[in-house]
Amino acid sequence: MCFRSASTEGSTAEAASSPFTTTLGSAATALAIGSIAWYYHLYGQEVHAMTPAEEGLHPTKYPWEHTKWNRTFDHQTLRRGFQVYREVCASCHSLSRVPWRALVGTTHTVDEAKVMAEENEYDTEPNDEGEIEKRPGKLSDYIPNPYKNDEAARAANNGALPPDLSLIIKARHGGCDYVFSLLTGYPEEAPAGAQIAEGMNFNPYFPGTGIAMARVLYDGLVDYEDGTPATSSQMAKDVVEFLNWAAEPEMDERKKMGMKVIVVTSILFALSVWVKK
Amino acid sequence: MGITDLFSDFLSSLTFTEAHAEAPSEEKNESSEESNDEGKDDEDKEDDAGGDQGEEEEEEEEEEEPEDVKPKLEEECANSKQCAPFKHHFDECVERVTEASEHADGKKGPHEDCVEEFFHLAHCANQCAAPKLWAQLK
């Protein structure tokens, strides 16, 4: 009190720093900081609806040659990839949007594609008696599905539907990297404590980590006609590039068109600069 | 992918190149030559045995040859210094979980798995192995 009475003679600033206001100020500051802390405690943390296992392991980025902006598909790779699809994947997965004629000039010659098409039977148009007969395939036919319909596919695969592969590279987050990682990413044994349903396989890249498809690509499964060693990662790389072609057959043309656009616009720009000068 | 490639691509996009869908006519000669060569190889290897046996042996040799480098590269990466912390966590988790599962008769604790630790380790190892793997694939 004595100090206070002495300070009353001083300036107003000194009066403001009386014990009462100091306490009030400190309390207000503490409240402000505390409210921020409480707010962040309540709302600040990011909320994940899914566990990492449910999200699946994000695929690693691989340095694909054909995805570079001035690179095309490697057609040797496409040919090998089609061989892998035909000998391995085609027993369960359809490729319903690709006709045999699309292979001509891309992976096979006309004669080779014709021979492959003729190995399959297709329905004819109804004849005079309304009967639908079978005929050998033509180039204009589409690559046949392994199953009659989705229900048959499910029934044959323990209830799981093998997806159509025509657009799979576009249809999956991660594209080429995802499919490659999925095919080669089956670990020898699932990590400790991981629970896998019956009939399922552990694959870290598949969302939920339980996938109905077992590992299919083993070393030396396919005999490549060009003598490339058929390791599982080589086969996976080839088939992924082939599926990328199946999903984006126009990619080469698109890149070429992009180049043409650059050429034409740069010429026009140069012309306009000279004209303006 | 050097700058020269860019120009050669540039040129090829301007000029008209023809893609041939037809098989080259020389193929027949090549295949006959190849078959001759194969025949010679068989004779060199086994004079007494027939051609069929020789072919079988060749196939077996071919089947043994390819071995995937991916698991090897990834294991090397997982054991490298770069992924040491993830490997340490994963190994610790595996030890803990296997121990817990062995003594889990009476207790009812929360179930634990090592999937997350496995993800971290696999992510590190794959990222490290990816360029090395691509250098070895065709």
Side-chain angles (χ1 to χ4, degrees):
Chain A
M1 287 301 283
C2 183
F3 175 73
R4 197 185 174 191
S5 62
S7 68
T8 45
E9 288 170 15
S11 63
T12 47
E14 269 180 283
S17 63
S18 63
F20 174 70
T21 44
T22 312
T23 322
L24 187 66
S26 311
T29 313
L31 180 69
I33 293 170
S35 67
I36 293 170
W38 195 26
Y39 177 85
Y40 274 97
H41 171 69
L42 285 177
Y43 305 111
Q45 280 171 337
E46 211 180 318
V47 178
H48 294 281
M50 301 219 285
T51 61
E54 284 167 336
E55 294 264 9
L57 176 54
H58 281 240
T60 315
K61 282 232 175 303
Y62 286 97
W64 296 96
E65 198 62 29
H66 68 270
T67 54
K68 292 171 183 165
W69 69 274
N70 62 347
R71 284 304 167 113
T72 59
F73 288 118
D74 176 23
H75 288 249
Q76 282 288 328
T77 306
L78 294 187
R79 193 181 165 98
R80 289 197 300 270
F82 178 71
Q83 191 185 347
V84 174
Y85 166 76
R86 194 158 176 247
E87 291 181 19
V88 184
C89 316
S91 56
C92 296
H93 290 278
S94 55
L95 195 66
S96 60
R97 285 168 176 79
V98 180
W100 295 106
R101 63 183 154 78
L103 301 175
V104 175
T106 309
T107 59
H108 293 75
T109 62
V110 177
D111 301 330
E112 285 169 332
K114 270 184 187 166
V115 168
M116 285 192 295
E118 280 162 10
E119 282 171 15
N120 301 283
E121 283 191 330
Y122 291 86
D123 288 342
T124 52
E125 291 288 299
N127 63 10
D128 294 344
E129 280 126 39
E131 302 289 326
I132 294 176
E133 288 166 355
K134 292 284 182 187
R135 61 165 172 80
K138 295 186 281 192
L139 281 182
S140 54
D141 287 314
Y142 282 75
I143 291 176
N145 298 343
Y147 303 107
K148 278 181 200 162
N149 46 50
D150 285 1
E151 284 69 24
R154 278 184 202 279
N157 287 290
N158 208 6
L161 175 68
D164 183 77
L165 296 183
S166 315
L167 295 168
I168 202 77
I169 300 293
K170 277 181 172 174
R172 292 291 178 272
H173 180 71
C176 289
D177 294 323
Y178 169 74
V179 180
F180 179 84
S181 300
L182 189 84
L183 288 173
T184 56
Y186 288 90
E188 289 192 357
E189 53 181 44
Q195 285 171 327
I196 308 147
E198 206 186 325
M200 300 292 247
N201 302 278
F202 182 84
N203 191 314
Y205 297 96
F206 193 73
T209 68
I211 183 167
M213 181 176 83
R215 183 182 168 181
V216 282
L217 294 179
Y218 289 96
D219 295 345
L221 186 64
V222 167
D223 268 337
Y224 281 135
E225 51 194 7
D226 62 357
T228 309
T231 62
S232 43
S233 36
Q234 179 70 50
M235 286 187 283
K237 180 173 183 268
D238 293 342
V239 81
V240 165
E241 193 163 335
F242 170 73
L243 292 175
N244 198 159
W245 168 80
E248 295 180 281
E250 84 295 347
M251 189 196 78
D252 290 356
E253 274 302 309
R254 199 178 64 222
K255 286 179 179 170
K256 194 174 164 187
M257 183 59 83
M259 205 69 189
K260 284 176 184 168
V261 168
I262 292 171
V263 168
V264 170
T265 47
S266 59
I267 291 170
L268 289 178
F269 179 69
L271 273 177
S272 71
V273 168
W274 285 113
V275 168
K276 179 79 177 132
K277 195 182 173 223
Chain B
M1 192 175 67
I3 192 81
T4 48
D5 286 348
L6 196 147
F7 282 110
S8 63
D9 282 359
F10 191 70
L11 263 182
S12 65
S13 71
L14 286 174
T15 51
F16 294 96
T17 46
E18 276 180 49
H20 296 281
E22 304 286 343
S25 55
E26 298 161 351
E27 216 173 51
K28 277 179 187 174
N29 296 333
E30 278 176 20
S31 62
S32 63
E33 277 171 23
E34 275 171 20
S35 62
N36 286 340
D37 289 345
E38 278 170 21
K40 278 176 195 168
D41 286 347
D42 288 343
E43 282 168 12
D44 291 341
K45 276 180 184 170
E46 278 188 283
D47 293 327
D48 300 335
D52 291 348
Q53 281 187 349
E55 272 174 26
E56 271 174 27
E57 271 202 359
E58 270 186 12
E59 275 172 20
E60 277 170 19
E61 278 169 24
E62 276 170 14
E63 276 169 18
E64 281 168 19
E65 264 178 45
E67 200 196 329
D68 203 358
V69 285
K70 190 170 181 272
K72 216 182 286 175
L73 287 175
E74 276 169 9
E75 207 186 325
E76 275 171 22
C77 277
N79 291 325
S80 70
K81 205 177 167 187
Q82 192 184 346
C83 300
F86 303 111
K87 175 104 175 122
H88 171 73
H89 282 300
F90 179 66
D91 288 346
E92 213 174 55
C93 173
V94 169
E95 207 174 305
R96 190 171 61 237
V97 169
T98 43
E99 201 175 326
S101 65
E102 279 167 9
H103 304 288
D105 306 327
K107 284 182 244 169
K108 266 194 176 178
H111 176 78
E112 193 193 359
D113 60 41
C114 298
V115 172
E116 214 166 312
E117 285 82 356
F118 176 80
F119 276 17
H120 292 150
L121 177 63
H123 180 74
C124 175
N126 288 352
Q127 208 135 40
C128 150
K132 294 176 196 167
L133 175 67
W134 238 242
Q136 293 191 38
L137 292 182
K138 206 170 166 184

